[in-house]
Amino acid sequence: MTNFTPREIVSELDRYIVGQHDAKRAVAVALRNRWRRQQVQSDLRDEIVPKNIIMIGPTGVGKTEIARRLAKLSQAPFIKVEASKFTEVGYVGRDVESMIRDLLELAIIMVKEEEARKMRVKAESLAEEKLLDLLLPGEVDRSPDKQDQHQHTRDKMRKLLRMGELDERYVEMEAEVSSMPQMNILTPQGGEDLGMNIKEMFGNMFPKKTKRKKLKVSEAREQLIESEAERLVDMENVHALAKERTEQTGIVFIDEIDKVASREGMHGPEVSREGVQRDILPIIEGSTINTKYGPVKTDHILFIAAGAFHVSKPSDLIPELQGRFPIRVELNSLGEDEFVRILTEPKTALIRQYKALLETEGLTLSFEDSAIHEVARIAKEVNDSTENIGARRLHTVMEKLLEDLSFDAPERQEAKVVIDADEVKARLTGISSDEDLSRYIL
């Protein structure tokens, strides 16, 4: 996040998400604060804790989409988890500590890819030599004349290889295949790492097997480069860097946090609600999680939670957990105007997606403005009369509208199709006006 200011982060989010300015500002400031903390002198740096965020708003207004885009924007380990998947320790379900282990695994993949890219030039050189060995098999005569001749041939082949003249030729190469049988290991609650370690131990016991494969030179080159780059990477260094990156810049997005809120008037044990909150609490407050790569401290990991809170409310969360989310942002419900913007404005707008899909069949699809407004009106109408699922309703409405066109596209003769308001009404009004039918179709 070194080069992104909060304004630039909001601007980037605006390209994909309509409205919700307060939520965008909050996450932009939180992300920028990660970079600011790194610039502070070391004695104060450890005292600056992340300002965790809780996003409140009905389903389909952009909470998860903000998280998805943040994952691409932030050059940091990022994981999205569902709070409803976890249960209290000792019960069947996922252990809350697994979110940190998963975050570390993602960080390792990120760092490993970065280190492999740094080694690519050296790997390309080594891969080229191996490829030339495959193209020129056989023992080399050690006499000076034969050696000079062999080197001359090798240099000519190298030149042809670099020019791409040999890309379509085939070579045979050895590839490692797993000799370990498929096995599932049942482990106790929170013992996911134990199962992985046992698998690794068994994997090392079985001898490595190789298999000869026939590949085009272009494909073989890429495989050799990848394997050489991977071999050059120092995994101990990768694990150390990944652990540091997880601790200092990691971000965890906890969706459906409202599903673990204890609702008023409910009695009895709630192993997937209050118990989960109490298990999550020490992780958010700052604790040390044991992983197979060593202990990971969670003091400076940023947590962003989100929930609809249409049955429960934020105050139903245990007070200690509420205190760990100092920033609360409310997201607004979406209306007809927002639906029109969602259909047309974002870089990946729904209408652009459908146009691109049908272009593959040779069809040019276009929507009149009146048709777009009619689609938005019907989506809003169905949301009001049945369940309000926000912008997700647009997917079902658009799919129903273009169902016949998508089916008949390969056989259609005309090259251009224009959708107007009358066609939208003809296809959708009957369904949207029948509340019982729209519950099942839209």
Coordinates of all heavy atoms in Angstrom, one line a residue, residues 71 74-80 98-118 233-252 291 293-294 296-297 301:
A71 N -8.9 -7.2 -1.4 CA -7.9 -8.3 -1.6 C -7.0 -8.1 -2.8 O -5.8 -8.4 -2.7 CB -8.7 -9.6 -1.7
S74 N -4.8 -4.6 -1.9 CA -3.8 -4.6 -0.9 C -2.7 -5.6 -1.2 O -2.9 -6.7 -1.6 CB -4.4 -5.0 0.5 OG -5.0 -6.3 0.4
Q75 N -1.5 -5.2 -1.1 CA -0.3 -6.0 -1.4 C 0.0 -6.7 -0.1 O 1.1 -6.6 0.4 CB 0.8 -5.2 -2.0 CG 0.5 -4.5 -3.3 CD 1.4 -3.4 -3.6 OE1 2.3 -3.0 -2.7 NE2 1.3 -2.8 -4.7
A76 N -0.9 -7.4 0.5 CA -0.8 -8.0 1.8 C -1.6 -9.3 1.8 O -2.5 -9.5 1.1 CB -1.3 -7.0 2.9
P77 N -1.2 -10.2 2.7 CA -2.0 -11.5 2.9 C -3.4 -11.1 3.3 O -3.6 -10.3 4.2 CB -1.3 -12.2 4.0 CG 0.1 -11.6 4.1 CD -0.1 -10.2 3.6
F78 N -4.4 -11.6 2.6 CA -5.8 -11.3 2.8 C -6.6 -12.6 2.8 O -6.5 -13.4 1.8 CB -6.3 -10.3 1.8 CG -7.7 -9.9 1.9 CD1 -8.0 -8.6 2.4 CD2 -8.8 -10.7 1.6 CE1 -9.3 -8.2 2.5 CE2 -10.1 -10.3 1.7 CZ -10.4 -9.0 2.2
I79 N -7.5 -12.8 3.8 CA -8.4 -14.0 3.8 C -9.8 -13.6 4.2 O -10.0 -12.7 5.0 CB -7.8 -15.1 4.7 CG1 -8.6 -16.4 4.4 CG2 -7.8 -14.7 6.1 CD1 -7.9 -17.6 5.1
K80 N -10.8 -14.2 3.5 CA -12.2 -14.0 3.8 C -12.7 -15.2 4.4 O -12.6 -16.3 3.9 CB -12.9 -13.6 2.6 CG -14.4 -13.5 2.8 CD -15.1 -13.2 1.4 CE -16.6 -13.2 1.6 NZ -17.2 -14.5 1.8
S98 N -7.9 -21.6 12.9 CA -7.5 -22.0 11.5 C -7.5 -20.8 10.5 O -6.8 -20.9 9.5 CB -8.5 -23.0 11.0 OG -9.8 -22.5 10.9
M99 N -8.2 -19.7 10.9 CA -8.2 -18.5 10.0 C -6.8 -17.9 9.9 O -6.4 -17.5 8.8 CB -9.2 -17.5 10.4 CG -9.0 -16.8 11.7 SD -10.1 -15.4 12.0 CE -11.5 -16.3 12.6
I100 N -6.1 -18.0 11.0 CA -4.7 -17.4 11.0 C -3.8 -18.4 10.3 O -2.9 -17.9 9.5 CB -4.2 -17.2 12.5 CG1 -5.2 -16.2 13.2 CG2 -2.8 -16.5 12.5 CD1 -5.4 -14.9 12.6
R101 N -4.0 -19.7 10.5 CA -3.1 -20.7 9.7 C -3.4 -20.5 8.2 O -2.4 -20.6 7.5 CB -3.5 -22.1 10.2 CG -3.2 -22.3 11.7 CD -3.3 -23.8 12.0 NE -3.1 -24.0 13.5 CZ -4.1 -24.2 14.3 NH1 -5.4 -24.2 13.9 NH2 -3.9 -24.3 15.6
D102 N -4.6 -20.3 7.8 CA -4.9 -20.2 6.4 C -4.3 -18.9 5.9 O -3.8 -18.8 4.7 CB -6.4 -20.2 6.2 CG -7.1 -21.5 6.4 OD1 -6.3 -22.5 6.5 OD2 -8.3 -21.6 6.6
L103 N -4.3 -17.8 6.7 CA -3.7 -16.5 6.3 C -2.2 -16.7 6.1 O -1.7 -16.2 5.1 CB -4.0 -15.5 7.4 CG -3.6 -14.1 7.1 CD1 -4.4 -13.5 5.9 CD2 -3.7 -13.2 8.3
L104 N -1.6 -17.4 6.9 CA -0.1 -17.7 6.8 C 0.2 -18.5 5.5 O 1.1 -18.2 4.8 CB 0.4 -18.4 8.0 CG 1.9 -18.8 8.0 CD1 2.8 -17.5 7.8 CD2 2.3 -19.5 9.3
E105 N -0.7 -19.5 5.3 CA -0.5 -20.3 4.1 C -0.5 -19.5 2.8 O 0.2 -19.6 1.9 CB -1.5 -21.4 4.0 CG -1.4 -22.5 5.0 CD -0.3 -23.5 4.8 OE1 0.4 -23.4 3.7 OE2 0.0 -24.3 5.7
L106 N -1.5 -18.5 2.8 CA -1.6 -17.6 1.7 C -0.4 -16.7 1.5 O 0.1 -16.4 0.4 CB -2.9 -16.7 1.8 CG -4.2 -17.4 1.5 CD1 -5.4 -16.5 1.9 CD2 -4.3 -17.7 0.0
A107 N 0.1 -16.2 2.7 CA 1.3 -15.4 2.7 C 2.5 -16.1 2.1 O 3.3 -15.6 1.3 CB 1.6 -14.9 4.1
I108 N 2.6 -17.4 2.5 CA 3.7 -18.2 1.9 C 3.6 -18.4 0.4 O 4.6 -18.2 -0.3 CB 3.7 -19.6 2.6 CG1 4.2 -19.5 4.1 CG2 4.6 -20.6 1.9 CD1 4.0 -20.7 4.9
I109 N 2.4 -18.6 -0.1 CA 2.2 -18.7 -1.5 C 2.6 -17.4 -2.2 O 3.3 -17.4 -3.2 CB 0.8 -19.1 -1.9 CG1 0.5 -20.5 -1.4 CG2 0.5 -18.9 -3.4 CD1 -1.0 -20.8 -1.4
M110 N 2.2 -16.2 -1.6 CA 2.5 -14.9 -2.2 C 4.0 -14.7 -2.2 O 4.6 -14.3 -3.2 CB 1.9 -13.8 -1.3 CG 0.4 -13.5 -1.5 SD -0.2 -12.3 -0.4 CE 0.8 -10.8 -0.9
V111 N 4.7 -14.9 -1.1 CA 6.1 -14.7 -1.0 C 6.9 -15.6 -1.9 O 7.9 -15.2 -2.6 CB 6.6 -14.8 0.5 CG1 8.1 -14.7 0.6 CG2 6.0 -13.8 1.4
K112 N 6.5 -16.9 -2.0 CA 7.1 -17.9 -2.8 C 7.1 -17.4 -4.3 O 8.1 -17.5 -5.0 CB 6.5 -19.2 -2.6 CG 7.2 -20.4 -3.3 CD 6.5 -21.7 -3.0 CE 7.1 -22.8 -3.8 NZ 6.4 -24.1 -3.6
E113 N 5.9 -17.0 -4.7 CA 5.7 -16.5 -6.1 C 6.7 -15.3 -6.4 O 7.3 -15.2 -7.4 CB 4.3 -16.1 -6.4 CG 3.4 -17.4 -6.5 CD 1.9 -17.0 -6.7 OE1 1.6 -15.8 -6.6 OE2 1.1 -17.9 -7.0
E114 N 6.7 -14.4 -5.4 CA 7.6 -13.2 -5.5 C 9.1 -13.6 -5.7 O 9.8 -13.1 -6.5 CB 7.4 -12.2 -4.4 CG 6.1 -11.5 -4.4 CD 5.8 -10.7 -3.1 OE1 6.8 -10.5 -2.3 OE2 4.7 -10.3 -2.8
E115 N 9.5 -14.5 -4.8 CA 10.9 -15.0 -4.8 C 11.2 -15.7 -6.1 O 12.3 -15.6 -6.6 CB 11.2 -15.8 -3.6 CG 11.1 -15.1 -2.2 CD 12.1 -14.0 -2.1 OE1 13.3 -14.3 -2.3 OE2 11.8 -12.9 -1.8
A116 N 10.2 -16.5 -6.6 CA 10.4 -17.2 -7.8 C 10.6 -16.3 -9.0 O 11.4 -16.5 -9.9 CB 9.3 -18.2 -8.1
R117 N 9.8 -15.2 -9.0 CA 9.9 -14.1 -10.0 C 11.3 -13.5 -10.0 O 11.9 -13.2 -11.1 CB 8.8 -13.1 -9.9 CG 7.5 -13.5 -10.4 CD 6.6 -12.3 -10.7 NE 6.2 -11.7 -9.4 CZ 5.1 -12.0 -8.7 NH1 4.3 -13.0 -9.1 NH2 4.8 -11.4 -7.6
K118 N 11.8 -13.3 -8.8 CA 13.2 -12.7 -8.7 C 14.2 -13.7 -9.3 O 15.3 -13.2 -9.8 CB 13.5 -12.4 -7.2 CG 12.8 -11.3 -6.6 CD 13.2 -11.1 -5.2 CE 12.3 -10.1 -4.4 NZ 12.6 -10.1 -3.0
V233 N 14.5 -21.1 -4.9 CA 13.9 -20.4 -3.8 C 14.3 -21.0 -2.5 O 14.2 -22.2 -2.3 CB 12.4 -20.3 -4.0 CG1 11.8 -19.8 -2.7 CG2 12.0 -19.5 -5.2
D234 N 14.8 -20.2 -1.5 CA 15.1 -20.6 -0.2 C 13.8 -20.6 0.7 O 13.3 -19.6 1.1 CB 16.1 -19.6 0.4 CG 16.5 -20.0 1.8 OD1 16.0 -21.0 2.4 OD2 17.4 -19.3 2.4
M235 N 13.3 -21.8 0.9 CA 12.0 -21.9 1.6 C 12.0 -21.5 3.0 O 11.1 -21.0 3.6 CB 11.5 -23.4 1.5 CG 11.0 -23.8 0.1 SD 9.8 -22.6 -0.6 CE 8.4 -22.8 0.5
E236 N 13.2 -21.6 3.7 CA 13.3 -21.1 5.1 C 13.1 -19.6 5.1 O 12.5 -19.1 6.0 CB 14.7 -21.5 5.7 CG 14.7 -23.0 6.1 CD 16.0 -23.2 6.9 OE1 16.6 -22.3 7.5 OE2 16.3 -24.4 7.0
N237 N 13.7 -18.9 4.1 CA 13.6 -17.5 4.0 C 12.2 -17.1 3.7 O 11.6 -16.1 4.2 CB 14.6 -17.0 2.9 CG 14.6 -15.5 2.9 OD1 14.6 -14.8 3.9 ND2 14.5 -14.9 1.6
V238 N 11.5 -17.9 2.8 CA 10.1 -17.6 2.4 C 9.2 -17.7 3.7 O 8.4 -16.8 3.9 CB 9.7 -18.6 1.3 CG1 8.1 -18.6 1.2 CG2 10.3 -18.3 0.0
H239 N 9.4 -18.8 4.5 CA 8.6 -18.9 5.7 C 8.8 -17.8 6.6 O 7.8 -17.3 7.2 CB 8.9 -20.3 6.4 CG 8.6 -21.5 5.5 ND1 9.1 -22.7 5.7 CD2 7.7 -21.6 4.5 CE1 8.6 -23.6 4.9 NE2 7.7 -22.9 4.1
A240 N 10.0 -17.3 6.8 CA 10.3 -16.2 7.7 C 9.7 -14.9 7.2 O 9.0 -14.2 8.0 CB 11.8 -16.0 7.9
L241 N 9.8 -14.6 5.9 CA 9.2 -13.4 5.3 C 7.7 -13.5 5.4 O 7.0 -12.5 5.7 CB 9.6 -13.3 3.9 CG 11.1 -12.8 3.6 CD1 11.4 -12.9 2.1 CD2 11.2 -11.3 4.1
A242 N 7.1 -14.6 5.1 CA 5.6 -14.8 5.1 C 5.1 -14.6 6.5 O 4.0 -14.0 6.7 CB 5.3 -16.2 4.6
K243 N 5.8 -15.1 7.5 CA 5.4 -15.0 8.9 C 5.4 -13.5 9.3 O 4.4 -13.0 9.9 CB 6.3 -15.8 9.8 CG 5.9 -16.0 11.2 CD 6.6 -17.1 11.9 CE 6.7 -17.0 13.3 NZ 7.6 -15.9 13.8
E244 N 6.5 -12.8 8.9 CA 6.5 -11.4 9.3 C 5.4 -10.6 8.6 O 4.8 -9.7 9.2 CB 7.9 -10.9 8.9 CG 8.1 -9.4 9.3 CD 9.4 -8.8 8.8 OE1 10.2 -9.5 8.1 OE2 9.6 -7.6 9.0
R245 N 5.2 -10.9 7.3 CA 4.2 -10.2 6.5 C 2.8 -10.5 7.1 O 2.0 -9.5 7.2 CB 4.2 -10.6 5.1 CG 3.5 -9.7 4.2 CD 3.6 -10.0 2.7 NE 5.0 -9.9 2.2 CZ 5.3 -9.9 0.9 NH1 4.3 -10.2 0.0 NH2 6.5 -9.7 0.5
T246 N 2.5 -11.7 7.5 CA 1.2 -12.0 8.1 C 1.0 -11.2 9.4 O 0.0 -10.6 9.6 CB 1.2 -13.5 8.5 OG1 1.3 -14.3 7.2 CG2 -0.2 -13.9 9.1
E247 N 2.1 -11.2 10.2 CA 1.9 -10.5 11.5 C 1.8 -9.0 11.4 O 1.1 -8.3 12.1 CB 3.2 -10.8 12.4 CG 3.2 -12.2 12.9 CD 4.5 -12.5 13.7 OE1 5.5 -11.8 13.6 OE2 4.4 -13.5 14.5
Q248 N 2.5 -8.4 10.4 CA 2.6 -6.9 10.3 C 1.5 -6.3 9.3 O 1.1 -5.2 9.5 CB 4.0 -6.5 9.8 CG 5.1 -6.9 10.7 CD 5.0 -6.4 12.1 OE1 4.5 -5.3 12.3 NE2 5.3 -7.2 13.1
T249 N 1.1 -7.1 8.3 CA 0.2 -6.5 7.3 C -1.0 -7.4 7.0 O -1.8 -7.0 6.1 CB 1.0 -6.2 6.0 OG1 1.4 -7.4 5.4 CG2 2.1 -5.2 6.2
G250 N -1.2 -8.5 7.7 CA -2.3 -9.4 7.3 C -3.6 -8.8 7.6 O -3.8 -7.9 8.5
I251 N -4.6 -9.2 6.8 CA -6.0 -8.7 6.9 C -6.9 -9.9 6.9 O -6.8 -10.7 6.0 CB -6.3 -7.7 5.7 CG1 -5.4 -6.5 5.6 CG2 -7.8 -7.2 5.9 CD1 -5.5 -5.7 4.4
V252 N -7.8 -9.9 7.8 CA -8.8 -11.0 7.9 C -10.2 -10.4 7.8 O -10.6 -9.5 8.6 CB -8.8 -11.8 9.2 CG1 -9.9 -12.8 9.3 CG2 -7.4 -12.5 9.3
T291 N 1.5 -22.6 14.6 CA 1.3 -23.1 13.2 C 2.5 -24.1 13.0 O 3.5 -24.0 13.7 CB 1.3 -22.0 12.1 OG1 2.6 -21.5 12.0 CG2 0.3 -20.9 12.5
Y293 N 4.7 -23.7 10.9 CA 5.9 -22.8 10.5 C 6.3 -22.0 11.7 O 7.2 -21.1 11.5 CB 5.5 -21.9 9.4 CG 5.0 -22.7 8.2 CD1 3.6 -22.6 7.8 CD2 5.8 -23.4 7.4 CE1 3.1 -23.3 6.7 CE2 5.3 -24.1 6.3 CZ 4.0 -24.1 6.0 OH 3.5 -24.8 4.9
G294 N 5.8 -22.2 12.9 CA 6.2 -21.5 14.1 C 5.0 -20.6 14.6 O 4.0 -20.5 13.9
V296 N 2.6 -17.5 15.4 CA 2.3 -16.2 14.7 C 1.5 -15.3 15.7 O 0.5 -15.8 16.3 CB 1.4 -16.5 13.5 CG1 0.9 -15.2 12.8 CG2 2.1 -17.4 12.4
K297 N 2.0 -14.1 15.8 CA 1.3 -13.1 16.7 C 0.2 -12.4 15.9 O 0.5 -12.0 14.8 CB 2.3 -12.1 17.3 CG 3.3 -12.8 18.3 CD 4.2 -11.7 18.9 CE 5.2 -12.4 19.9 NZ 6.1 -11.4 20.4
I301 N -2.7 -7.7 13.2 CA -3.5 -8.2 12.0 C -4.8 -7.3 12.0 O -5.4 -7.1 13.1 CB -3.8 -9.7 12.1 CG1 -2.5 -10.5 11.9 CG2 -4.9 -10.1 11.0 CD1 -2.7 -12.0 12.1

